[in-house]
Amino acid sequence: TISGTALLNKVPEVTLAFWVIKIMTTTVGETVADYLAVNAGLGQATTRWAMLIMLIGTLVAQMRTTRCQPILYWSTVVLVSVV
């Protein structure tokens, strides 16, 4: 079983660096969504569904992990901003 403290350790420590990265990932997420919908020609609906499926996958992986995995955590953050 996973203790309550182990679950709390699945996210990075909230510091100034955390907020800088969070702002950057939000900007990247919005830019990626615009690029895929407009420049890549996928359209809003296709982009939304594709990113939603990826978000669900990263959320499931995030919930199954027992420790903080930065790439998984930040991928989830970017996908939230895309969706």
Side-chain angles (χ1 to χ4, degrees), residues 36-50:
L36 291 174
V38 178
N39 297 353
L42 295 179
Q44 289 183 1
T46 303
T47 299
R48 187 178 308 120
W49 282 108

Side-chain angles (χ1 to χ4, degrees), residues 8-77:
L8 294 176
N9 292 330
K10 290 175 137 185
V11 296
E13 184 178 351
V14 179
T15 62
L16 178 60
F18 170 88
W19 288 110
V20 169
I21 294 169
K22 170 65 175 121
I23 291 167
M24 290 170 40
T25 58
T26 301
T27 304
V28 167
E30 291 175 6
T31 303
V32 167
D34 289 343
Y35 176 81
L36 291 174
V38 178
N39 297 353
L42 295 179
Q44 289 183 1
T46 303
T47 299
R48 187 178 308 120
W49 282 108
M51 296 301 111
L52 180 61
I53 291 166
M54 289 176 64
L55 174 61
I56 290 168
T58 59
L59 286 172
V60 168
Q62 178 75 9
M63 294 299 153
R64 288 185 175 186
T65 188
T66 58
R67 61 185 174 81
C68 179
Q69 295 183 1
I71 189 71
L72 183 58
Y73 178 82
W74 290 112
S75 295
T76 304
V77 172

